[in-house]
Amino acid sequence: MTNEGEPIDVWILGGYLGAGKTTTLNALLSDPVFGGRNPALIINEFGRMGVDGALVERQDLSRFEINKGSLFCICTKTDFLKALAAIAEGDHQAVVIEATGIAEPVDIESFLTNGPHAGRFRLRGNLCIVDAANFTKIAAFLKPATAQVRWADAIIINKCDCASEDERHVLGKVLAELNPTAPRWETSFGNIEPAFLEGVHRTARAEQLRPCAPEKIIAVSLTAGEPVDYAAFRTVLERLGEHVLRLKGNIAFTEGAAYVEIVCGRYSQKEPLKQLDEAATAFTVIAWDIDKDALIEAFSACGCNV
Amino acid sequence: MTGKERIVKAFACEPTDRVPWVPFVGCHAGALIDKDAETYLKSAELIERGVNKAVQLYQPDGIPVMFDLQVEAEALGCGLVWSKENPPAVTRHPLTNGVTLEDLKVPGPEAGRIAVALAATRRIRNTHPDLAVYGLITGPFTLALHLLGTDIFMKMFDTVDQVHQLLGFCRDVCNAMSRYYIEAGCDVIALVDPMTSQIGPDQFQQFVTPYAKDIFAEIDRLGAMSSFFVCGHAQQNIAVMAHTGCGNISIDENIPLDYVRDECRKHNVSFGGNLQLTSVLLLGRPIDAQKNALACLEVAGETGFILAPGCDLPYATPPENLQAVVEIVHDPYKRDVVRQMAADTPDEDRLDMLEYGQADKVVVDIITLDSEACAPCQYMVDAVKRVAPEFEGIVIWHEHKIKYRESLVFMTSLMVRNVPTICIDGEIVFVSRIPPRDELIAAIQKRINEKFRLRIQQRKASLYLLGKRDEKMTALCDNVQQAMKELGTTDVHVEHIEEDKLIAGFGVAPSQTPAVVMAKYAVKSLHRVPEVVVIKEWLKDIK
């Protein structure tokens, strides 16, 4: 039995599939200070979404898999509370909760603090792993991706080797906007210095961080009934500047159709994609820190509409 | 009005005689018949037995055949992991393992466990013709996620057209499943699409709305009712969900019910929910379930609402919690009682009742809502009133109307949970049942006998012999000793008092000596400070 007086430290490890959670988890567990505390793992299994249990190097640890067919919702709470009960009965001094890319961290925290085990666990920190190359793409479509960043006590920007300098620069600004207080650690293979973790402090979050807050990162799909004037299109992009994180799709320019892609300010175009309707304009813009209506209004200047 | 008629009216946002109730019994029905989730969800015969048991226990107006969002995914080649107390989980997504969309075909009614679900539907339809039978199908977005995994979020930007093709296929699966269920006898098709809670309203309109509209139109064409189930943090999408042509929106505890009520009423769409699954139905007490149900009913209003759990009931939900909800649904009087009790009495307000009931007289307390306003309370008070004269001078009775705070405190202090209740000397004896006269007399008599026994056992006394030491006093002392000897009494303290002043203190004049005063003792309290209300009861005996 664990000493009733000492709460068990909990680390939440969040981040989208492919961000590098398993690598980061292995790095954490191999750290003698952390790994020596008989940590238990709660793994939220949903296909490829969670940490791949087989890739966790330390197979000796107690592992609890949250495996709920009804998926993603409050239904997982029952299994989660069962796991916490079992851990509280053991002799663990730490717990790592792997939050899938679709977990709302606010839910996990409420399970810890409001459930029947209130007081037995101490949330030590919410770590959010961000994929440097793909975060700005995914954040517009998956609400929890931004919620996890906003809720984080520390952000680990992983796979920096896969992102250009421009992308990393813009990503840094986006993350700072979403969460100005969390320290950020840039790495390429999920490695974290123990000193960085030691410096992480739990920050109490306000109610307005609930996921219904207006999204900072939006995605809008646009079309055009008439050919698009190339110069007008570029003028719109210039006006929008860094608000446009990404843009992708076929555009029927007056001068001829092209497949356009913009990644953090870097513009490129090539032959229109065959699987799309080559003659039609259909593209998606991911933007940040701008109102959706303002974005649509800006593109209307070159004849593009939703 | 039958349950089905009630559901039909509620879906049409028309008045009903009471709010309909649909417990989402999935693998929990397995627990009711002592089968694990895997065994249960693979057998039409067991599903029928489980649903029958749930119908018997929970008296619903509608019931789902099963709650398993992996049936279609399994038939389409997704890998599953089964567990004992949950529906299975998808762990392998075919479209990320070399299968292409062109390889996938809309499954037929005999594919995989679809056949089990349809066989169960037919059996349940036959057994329960008056209930609304719900067929739950996996929504297009959630099914797409099962097939493709979370790559779908990246592809919503990278390859929009492919995502639309996939969702179009999922829509075709949903339409086929709707048709199978309706042909097997379902009245309601519930499109369950929890993954939509992960996206915002813009993406919902782009990737879900067109397909959901097609599915609801098809359900409508086939003559069934439709519901859109979502769970999780989906508040942002309720307004766009209401535009998909569904007849009902059902939500869980993550979304405020009043918000859903307002959005749905704007579009004349009925709504349902949102009893709390874990903290109340699984881990709470029956009274918590009742308070939660009452809160839902009060927020939702009486029209166009279906009371239901937020999602699939946990396997080990205690049946008594759901039966407590049934009482709230069926019994307006029970709702009044719980409404009164809704403000929980803080522990510090509770009275210490350990010594309650140690007065010489037997105290009968009737805890009521108000005997003037509620018939069962009135009958219970009348029953006591009629019997009390039989015990003239021995029994006293009080009515405690819990509309008054002090009565509520009294009630919670006696650990009374139901109203009306009769307590005899602080012990709960009759709960929500008017006792027949003989039974009530017997209960009171039993207590009198008990008290008599206790009193004899506990009695201690002093004999004060008042007067000068003279011949008479000597004779008195001898007689007292003789009497005690003959009775074998050892616990009587005998004291001789000579001083006139002290004798006067006993209310005896010196001229009246020799006199004998006997003082009896009864231990009323040990190791604690009794409440004033308790001491008052003791003092009444002296009067």
Side-chain angles (χ1 to χ4, degrees), chain B residues 103-130:
Chain B
D103 298 331
L104 296 177
K105 299 283 174 281
V106 174
E110 296 301 322
R113 285 187 302 123
I114 296 174
V116 171
L118 297 177
T121 305
R122 285 187 283 270
R123 286 162 179 250
I124 293 164
R125 174 75 290 161
N126 285 335
T127 318
H128 303 288
D130 291 337

Side-chain angles (χ1 to χ4, degrees), chain B residues 302-414:
Chain B
E302 299 195 340
T303 310
F305 175 64
I306 292 165
L307 182 68
C311 193
D312 185 17
L313 284 162
Y315 181 83
T317 305
E320 54 269 27
N321 285 357
L322 293 166
Q323 288 173 303
V325 173
V326 176
E327 288 185 336
I328 292 293
V329 171
H330 286 262
D331 187 353
Y333 161 68
K334 193 77 198 177
R335 291 199 283 276
D336 288 343
V337 171
V338 173
R339 197 172 285 122
Q340 287 297 330
M341 293 167 66
D344 225 345
T345 312
D347 283 346
E348 60 267 27
D349 281 357
R350 300 215 172 142
L351 307 173
D352 180 353
M353 305 302 277
L354 273 182
E355 288 84 21
Y356 193 76
Q358 295 200 9
D360 279 352
K361 288 179 181 173
V362 171
V363 182
V364 177
D365 292 297
I366 315 151
I367 293 104
T368 68
L369 189 60
D370 181 353
S371 62
E372 286 163 23
C374 115
C377 301
Q378 184 198 334
Y379 297 145
M380 195 172 258
V381 171
D382 285 348
V384 175
K385 263 188 196 170
R386 278 197 299 272
V387 163
E390 304 274 336
F391 300 95
E392 184 66 44
I394 305 172
V395 168
I396 50 172
W397 65 272
H398 308 287
E399 180 186 355
H400 302 268
K401 301 175 180 180
I402 61 165
K403 65 182 184 180
Y404 301 119
R405 182 175 158 72
E406 62 269 26
S407 295
L408 193 59
V409 171
F410 184 81
M411 172 187 178
T412 48
S413 304
L414 283 179

Side-chain angles (χ1 to χ4, degrees), chain A residues 16-17 47 49 67-69 72-73 75 78-79 82 102 107 137-138 141-144 219 221 248 276 292, chain B residues 70 81 85-86 88-90 150 153 157-158 161 195 197-199 202-203 206 231 233 236 278 282 311:
Chain A
Y16 183 69
L17 169 71
M49 190 171 294
N67 176 2
K68 179 76 179 181
F72 339 113
C73 57
C75 314
T78 307
D79 291 352
K82 273 191 211 168
I102 55 167
D107 287 343
K137 191 189 292 183
I138 206 74
F141 294 96
L142 185 63
K143 281 192 310 134
S221 292
K248 187 184 272 189
L276 302 176
K292 180 185 163 195
Chain B
Q70 288 62 241
V81 168
E85 297 196 357
N86 281 319
V90 169
T150 50
F153 294 109
F157 177 69
D158 283 340
D161 278 24
M195 268 314 287
S197 66
Q198 306 297 312
I199 57 177
D202 292 340
Q203 282 68 49
Q206 187 180 357
C231 52
H233 298 282
Q236 74 284 354
T278 306
L282 177 67
C311 193

Side-chain angles (χ1 to χ4, degrees), chain A residues 88-108:
Chain A
E89 285 298 310
D91 58 354
H92 304 282
Q93 288 90 53
V95 183
V96 182
I97 299 170
E98 177 273 319
T100 68
I102 55 167
E104 292 283 1
V106 62
D107 287 343
I108 294 179

Side-chain angles (χ1 to χ4, degrees), chain B residues 25-169:
Chain B
V25 175
C27 60
H28 168 64
L32 294 179
I33 57 168
D34 204 22
K35 298 290 175 192
D36 64 67
E38 179 172 5
T39 309
Y40 178 77
L41 291 170
K42 287 180 175 176
S43 160
E45 190 255 328
L46 293 179
I47 292 169
E48 186 202 14
R49 267 176 55 202
V51 167
N52 287 348
K53 187 72 184 173
V55 170
Q56 179 201 335
L57 290 173
Y58 306 143
Q59 302 167 48
D61 297 296
I63 195 99
V65 175
M66 57 200 287
F67 207 125
D68 179 348
L69 302 186
Q70 288 62 241
V71 172
E72 298 94 325
E74 184 186 29
L76 287 163
C78 290
L80 300 188
V81 168
W82 285 90
S83 59
K84 297 293 178 198
E85 297 196 357
N86 281 319
V90 169
T91 52
R92 288 189 308 280
H93 314 290
L95 296 180
T96 57
N97 287 302
V99 176
T100 67
L101 187 56
E102 289 69 36
D103 298 331
L104 296 177
K105 299 283 174 281
V106 174
E110 296 301 322
R113 285 187 302 123
I114 296 174
V116 171
L118 297 177
T121 305
R122 285 187 283 270
R123 286 162 179 250
I124 293 164
R125 174 75 290 161
N126 285 335
T127 318
H128 303 288
D130 291 337
L131 292 185
V133 178
Y134 280 56
L136 270 55
I137 62 172
T138 314
F141 196 72
T142 300
L143 184 56
L145 203 100
H146 279 327
L147 295 171
L148 182 58
T150 50
D151 286 1
I152 194 169
F153 294 109
M154 211 82 85
K155 288 181 185 290
M156 284 163 78
F157 177 69
D158 283 340
T159 52
V160 182
D161 278 24
Q162 282 179 24
V163 173
H164 279 296
Q165 283 165 14
L166 172 59
L167 287 165
F169 172 77

